[in-house]
């Protein structure tokens, strides 16, 4: 089974967290699900550099990467994912959806109001228990 290693940004602003919604995908179990934005680390990049690049490419935003929050190991039916998650804040730029179909800024009380991808659920849990 293929293993994919990625980084994800928990972008916080005004006591809210950014959640982005995926579009249709060949795997229906992640289609239209909400996730924390991010992507793959390219050769020669640190996790932090990859995260800044991915957020700029996906959302047109500049971010500041702060502390590492959690690493999630999750097995989907067709692949495994290792996701290194960092707390971040927006430094500039308006959100543009280059790869997602929607986004929401969620307050701590609203974090469970969207349908998260399963690999992102432990991040939500960590946020509600430790950060927010």
């Amino acid at each position: 089974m293929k293993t994919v290693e990625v980084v994800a940004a928990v972008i916080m602003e005004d006591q809210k967290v950014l959640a982005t919604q995926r579009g249709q995908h060949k795997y229906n179990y992640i289609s239209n699900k909400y996730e924390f934005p991010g992507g793959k680390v390219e050769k020669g990049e640190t996790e932090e550099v990859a995260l800044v690049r991915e957020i700029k490419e996906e959302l047109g935003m500049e971010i500041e990467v702060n502390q590492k929050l959690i690493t999630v190991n999750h097995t989907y039916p067709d692949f495994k994912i290792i996701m290194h998650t960092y707390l971040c804040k927006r430094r500039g730029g308006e959100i543009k959806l280059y790869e997602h179909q929607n986004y929401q800024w969620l307050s701590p009380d609203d974090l469970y109001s969207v349908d998260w991808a399963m690999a992102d659920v432990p991040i939500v849990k960590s946020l509600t228990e430790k950060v927010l």
Side-chain angles (χ1 to χ4, degrees):
M1 181 176 291
K2 182 178 178 180
T3 298
V4 181
E5 192 162 359
V6 299
V7 289
V10 176
I11 303 170
M12 303 196 61
E13 184 172 280
D14 298 328
Q15 307 285 322
K16 292 186 177 182
V17 176
L18 181 64
T20 53
Q21 187 179 24
R22 298 180 68 100
Q24 286 292 328
H25 194 276
K26 68 179 180 178
Y27 301 131
N28 68 342
Y29 50 82
I30 56 175
S31 287
N32 303 307
K33 300 286 187 177
Y34 277 84
E35 65 183 0
F36 295 100
K40 295 179 183 166
V41 179
E42 293 180 358
K43 187 174 183 174
E45 285 183 322
T46 64
E47 292 173 359
E48 295 88 345
V49 167
L51 201 48
V52 168
R53 177 187 50 77
E54 284 286 347
I55 299 306
K56 182 70 173 171
E57 289 174 1
E58 290 185 7
L59 298 171
M61 291 174 54
E62 301 287 340
I63 61 167
E64 175 183 311
V65 179
N66 295 319
Q67 73 196 54
K68 192 165 193 175
L69 178 63
I70 184 176
T71 296
V72 174
N73 291 281
H74 183 79
T75 302
Y76 284 112
D78 300 283
F79 65 98
K80 294 179 184 179
I81 187 169
I82 301 169
M83 186 163 38
H84 306 284
T85 310
Y86 288 82
L87 288 173
C88 304
K89 70 177 184 178
R90 177 163 47 173
R91 292 183 56 203
E94 293 302 315
I95 297 175
K96 297 178 183 108
L97 298 175
Y98 295 114
E99 295 188 18
H100 296 89
Q101 65 177 335
N102 194 18
Y103 73 91
Q104 293 186 47
W105 287 101
L106 300 172
S107 68
D109 291 339
D110 293 330
L111 281 174
Y112 287 102
S113 69
V114 299
D115 189 12
W116 291 98
M118 289 306 297
D120 291 76
V121 171
I123 302 167
V124 174
K125 185 176 181 192
S126 177
L127 283 171
T128 59
E129 290 176 355
K130 299 175 185 171
V131 178
L132 301 175

